[in-house]
Amino acid sequence: CIIKIIKILNKFYIFKPLQAAWSIAMNYIINGRRPENLFHFFEQISAIPRKSGNENEIADFICDFAEKRGLEYIRDSHNNVLVRKGAAAGYENHPAVLLQGHLDMVCVAEKGSVHDFLKAPLQLISDDEWLYADGTTLGADDGAGVAAMLAVLDDETLVHPEIECLFTTEEETGMTGAMNFDASEIRASAMLNLDSEEEGVAIIGCAGGADVNVRIESDYVDLYGKCLTVAVGGFAGGHSGSDIDKERINAITLTARLLSSLYSKMPFNLISLEAGTVNNAIPSDAEAVISVSDEASAVSFLEDAFNRAESDAGGYIKIKKTGSAGFTRTKMHTFKSTSRLLSFINLAPCGVIRRNKQDFVFPEASSNLASVHMSDGGAVDIAFLIRSALDVTMDSMAAKFETLARLTGGVVTVSGKYPGWAPVYKTPLQNLFINEYKKLFPEASEPVLMPIHAGLECGVIYSKIVSCRGVGIDVISIGPEIRDIHTPEERLSLDSFERFWQLVTSMLEKL
């Protein structure tokens, strides 16, 4: 009877914390893994919706967790939570260690999915090797780190110094939580960020970033003509930092290029162009609606242009003829506005902008054309995420957007800027990582130390600690093997998750 009641409450999204605590506790899909609570904590947080900006409930869960175990915690107005656990016997005089990860997740679903990320729990699927979510991102970025911190706090058998666990919010949409956290609360002298996705790799530096939004006010005329819906997609997508150098197709830039080529042959009116969800994901799908004078010629041209264009495996173009009566929009862009908008998108910086002179494989600066959305009021919003380890380079990229926007009638807003984290080599924490990894996994490949082009909260937290103390702390970022983050193909290696736990706890014992 209790289970039936909980299912009914869940159907109407009533008393969700109660539902999460009971249903997950009664029906775990991962069993037999060690330590069991590591995997069970991951399932519990997967039952709690935690889209960026919607972390109140998951923060409640963390605070309730701490209260039940008698742990000291601080929760701030941004739903960041810092939990402290005392040192094990004999470790009272060791410096405190900070574990850190973020509570939110990127919420991307397969096309046609009706999953509600604000209300519904993730539907987890395990094949005993990998853990997936059904048709959506898994949230192992950074649910894996959050689960590991909860397991450390929960396990009374572990040997370690004083532990501080910092759970931050809105990392995926600009690191807002970390940017607003009071770093003077942190006591630690070393920090393990648990937000990486490659086993055997410790990140020792990262890029900073900023959101660039361009708003273009368009001129409209009444809708008329023969309408075509042009859907381009099926591309790999991926993370706009760690995958930007893989030359994956950006659905927005490809769509704009195809439409610009068509416009040069037979001018048309753009009715709508919609693509992208979050700034740190490479868009894999885009859909445009256009009004043309010759449907057959336009369809033939676009299909031929797509077939000649570079594309990811599985990429497609689908064109549907639609009468104008079938649209809710009653206006369309003028020829001039159509040309101006497509010109801006085609000329806007997108992809790797500069590579590191010492390590040419490593991107030093990039720009991701993340989304295009049109309002009924006439404005077109185009969002980018720019990245660089150097502030001066980000300023230079922002200036280019300003110049291009002036030429095409747009206005640029730069926001959410966060600092990079310059790498320092051969620190005690880096040496400990290498030694413990080799000792624990002698058959594995050599561990690697490297900076990444993606943004990490390490840069924000490190810079805030420097501001408070005048000196920084020793920091690395590690994680288990997670593939295809920020896409519905995201998956977590269960074996790697176990090894990740062994590495974290072994390092804590040596600190």
Side-chain angles (χ1 to χ4, degrees):
C1 292
I2 293 175
I3 295 175
K4 288 182 179 179
I5 291 171
I6 291 173
K7 286 183 176 180
I8 293 170
L9 295 177
N10 179 55
K11 180 178 179 181
F12 295 100
Y13 303 111
I14 301 171
F15 304 133
K16 288 181 286 183
L18 177 65
Q19 180 273 331
W22 279 90
S23 67
I24 292 299
M26 292 180 178
N27 188 29
Y28 292 110
I29 69 166
I30 305 173
N31 293 289
R33 293 278 180 173
R34 293 292 179 267
E36 195 170 60
N37 67 342
L38 173 69
F39 296 88
H40 289 180
F41 282 133
F42 186 91
E43 292 197 48
Q44 288 181 36
I45 63 175
S46 296
I48 303 172
R50 58 186 204 280
K51 182 178 181 179
S52 301
N54 185 45
E55 298 101 337
N56 189 68
E57 189 177 337
I58 186 67
D60 287 343
F61 175 86
I62 302 297
C63 294
D64 182 64
F65 169 96
E67 285 185 5
K68 287 178 177 177
R69 289 157 181 81
L71 300 173
E72 175 189 353
Y73 70 92
I74 301 168
R75 179 179 185 171
D76 67 18
S77 60
H78 290 269
N79 281 321
N80 298 304
V81 183
L82 178 68
V83 183
R84 291 196 178 97
K85 180 183 180 184
Y91 280 69
E92 294 87 352
N93 295 324
H94 290 224
V97 178
L98 174 66
L99 304 181
Q100 189 270 321
H102 61 88
L103 294 171
D104 61 319
M105 62 175 282
V106 167
C107 296
V108 178
E110 292 177 349
K111 191 161 186 170
S113 170
V114 296
H115 184 86
D116 187 343
F117 284 104
L118 293 177
K119 296 179 179 179
L122 299 175
Q123 301 301 310
L124 302 183
I125 302 172
S126 173
D127 61 9
D128 294 328
E129 181 180 359
W130 296 92
L131 183 66
Y132 307 80
D134 186 12
T136 69
T137 40
L138 173 64
D141 171 19
D142 186 28
V146 171
M149 290 193 287
L150 292 173
V152 167
L153 293 170
D154 186 60
D155 193 335
E156 294 299 327
T157 69
L158 297 180
V159 179
H160 54 69
E162 180 184 45
I163 298 291
E164 296 181 307
C165 287
L166 176 58
F167 303 86
T168 52
T169 56
E170 296 188 73
E171 189 269 352
E172 301 290 4
T173 53
M175 306 195 185
T176 306
M179 292 287 286
N180 288 279
F181 181 73
D182 181 3
S184 67
E185 297 287 353
I186 296 172
R187 302 170 184 167
S189 60
M191 170 179 166
L192 290 176
N193 169 276
L194 307 182
D195 188 23
S196 289
E197 298 87 28
E198 190 172 356
E199 184 179 355
V201 175
I203 304 304
I204 60 171
C206 69
D211 296 317
V212 175
N213 188 78
V214 181
R215 169 161 287 194
I216 298 176
E217 299 288 347
S218 290
D219 297 321
Y220 288 84
V221 295
D222 289 337
L223 179 62
Y224 67 89
K226 300 170 183 177
C227 300
L228 297 176
T229 299
V230 182
V232 175
F235 306 120
H239 189 285
S240 67
S242 57
D243 294 324
I244 200 73
D245 62 333
K246 294 180 173 61
E247 306 297 335
R248 294 180 177 177
I249 297 298
N250 183 305
I252 300 173
T253 58
L254 178 57
T255 301
R257 188 163 73 247
L258 296 175
L259 293 179
S260 291
S261 297
L262 175 65
Y263 190 91
S264 67
K265 299 295 183 183
M266 52 185 84
F268 61 84
N269 298 92
L270 181 67
I271 300 172
S272 67
L273 175 58
E274 296 288 329
T277 52
V278 292
N279 283 10
N280 56 1
I282 301 169
S284 57
D285 302 275
E287 184 174 283
V289 182
I290 60 177
S291 175
V292 299
S293 58
D294 186 338
E295 289 176 314
S297 296
V299 171
S300 177
F301 182 93
L302 288 170
E303 290 178 340
D304 182 62
F306 179 85
N307 291 333
R308 288 185 286 106
E310 182 181 356
S311 179
D312 293 341
Y316 63 79
I317 185 170
K318 298 178 182 178
I319 305 174
K320 181 173 65 175
K321 299 177 182 179
T322 311
S324 58
F327 295 109
T328 56
R329 294 180 185 269
T330 59
K331 301 286 185 179
M332 61 184 180
H333 295 252
T334 63
F335 287 132
K336 182 178 179 180
S337 288
T338 297
S339 176
R340 188 173 59 183
L341 177 60
L342 294 176
S343 296
F344 176 87
I345 295 174
N346 273 305
L347 292 172
C350 185
V352 176
I353 305 301
R354 180 184 299 168
R355 292 187 179 271
N356 187 278
K357 293 179 181 179
Q358 282 72 42
D359 183 1
F360 193 72
V361 175
F362 179 67
E364 187 174 279
S366 73
S367 171
N368 179 50
L369 202 176
S371 65
V372 178
H373 297 293
M374 297 182 174
S375 70
D376 292 332
V380 181
D381 286 306
I382 309 171
F384 300 81
L385 177 56
I386 60 174
R387 300 179 189 266
S388 176
L390 302 174
D391 284 348
V392 66
T393 305
M394 284 201 289
D395 292 341
S396 175
M397 285 193 287
K400 289 182 179 180
F401 281 105
E402 291 274 6
T403 302
L404 181 57
R406 280 198 301 270
L407 293 174
T408 52
V411 176
V412 173
T413 303
V414 179
S415 62
K417 189 174 182 180
Y418 55 88
W421 165 35
V424 177
Y425 294 87
K426 298 182 179 179
T427 71
L429 197 56
Q430 293 172 18
N431 293 335
L432 177 62
F433 161 76
I434 291 173
N435 293 336
E436 292 305 301
Y437 192 86
K438 287 181 175 180
K439 183 183 73 175
L440 290 168
F441 316 116
E443 304 302 319
S445 300
E446 283 288 308
V448 174
L449 303 173
M450 60 179 286
I452 60 168
H453 187 57
L456 285 171
E457 291 167 300
C458 302
V460 176
I461 295 169
Y462 180 88
S463 65
K464 290 174 79 70
I465 289 175
V466 170
S467 296
C468 292
R469 302 181 186 176
V471 294
I473 63 174
D474 200 352
V475 183
I476 64 171
S477 176
I478 57 177
E481 193 72 20
I482 308 172
R483 304 278 178 85
D484 294 319
I485 64 170
H486 297 188
T487 79
E489 303 302 316
E490 181 185 359
R491 57 200 183 276
L492 167 66
S493 166
L494 298 177
D495 288 343
S496 178
F497 202 17
E498 287 185 332
R499 292 190 291 269
F500 171 62
W501 170 260
Q502 294 173 10
L503 177 63
V504 170
T505 54
S506 180
M507 290 181 67
L508 290 177
E509 187 175 346
K510 302 299 189 300
L511 285 166

